[in-house]
Amino acid sequence: MSAGLLIDTTRCIGCGACSAACKEQNELPLPVEERTTAYTWTTVETHDGVHVRRLCMHCAEPTCVSVCPVAALSKTPEGPVVYDGARCIGCRYCIMACPFSVPKYQWDRAIPVMGKCIMCHPRVKAGLPTACAAVCPTGATFFGDRDALIREAHRRIE
């Protein structure tokens, strides 16, 4: 099974529970920033009354993984794109390659690393949903098998 997230903007109320759960799960410092950063891996932006989640897309063929010369980024069999800061050499190719501007660099640290959503890989590996999906009060963020989520998305669109 390759896991994924279905984000349904028609159900999102913009409460930010997903962002707070991500911070807690990944032990990231407060506050939740308005845009994704190396310390805020998911946000909810509001555009003309529509709430939109911003986070890593965990692409089927992630360009960030393909350009990393030291394999600090990898696509797991479970679906998440994860990052190993111990392998990272700080080239920032991943930042330039991502079409969604997801990887963010810790410019405020003497020895910086990159930060991005890892789709709660330890939870996913243990068979649990992501923290953001587990706390979503409206079901706007739904975790599951990627193929099943695509079918559900098509059903909802129809």
Side-chain angles (χ1 to χ4, degrees), residues 30-105:
L30 291 173
V32 173
E33 297 155 290
E34 289 185 24
R35 299 270 188 234
T36 57
T37 69
Y39 306 105
T40 297
W41 296 352
T42 185
T43 61
V44 179
E45 296 176 3
T46 303
H47 301 279
D48 296 324
V50 177
H51 306 293
V52 179
R53 287 271 314 274
R54 297 288 183 210
L55 69 159
C56 180
M57 305 300 259
H58 299 281
C59 302
E61 296 180 28
T63 56
C64 60
V65 171
S66 70
V67 300
C68 184
V70 294
L73 286 159
S74 61
K75 176 83 173 171
T76 68
E78 298 84 18
V81 174
V82 296
Y83 172 71
D84 181 353
R87 296 184 70 110
C88 184
I89 60 172
C91 68
R92 297 181 298 280
Y93 289 164
C94 58
I95 293 170
M96 293 179 280
C98 178
F100 303 105
S101 300
V102 168
K104 304 292 185 200
Y105 206 61

Side-chain angles (χ1 to χ4, degrees), residues 74-143:
S74 61
K75 176 83 173 171
T76 68
E78 298 84 18
V81 174
V82 296
Y83 172 71
D84 181 353
R87 296 184 70 110
C88 184
I89 60 172
C91 68
R92 297 181 298 280
Y93 289 164
C94 58
I95 293 170
M96 293 179 280
C98 178
F100 303 105
S101 300
V102 168
K104 304 292 185 200
Y105 206 61
Q106 295 175 333
W107 294 105
D108 61 334
R109 299 234 175 142
I111 302 174
V113 293
M114 184 271 296
K116 66 171 260 340
C117 167
I118 58 167
M119 198 194 299
C120 296
H121 184 245
R123 289 177 60 97
V124 171
K125 206 167 181 172
L128 299 171
T130 60
C132 62
V135 300
C136 184
T138 63
T141 299
F142 191 75
F143 172 82

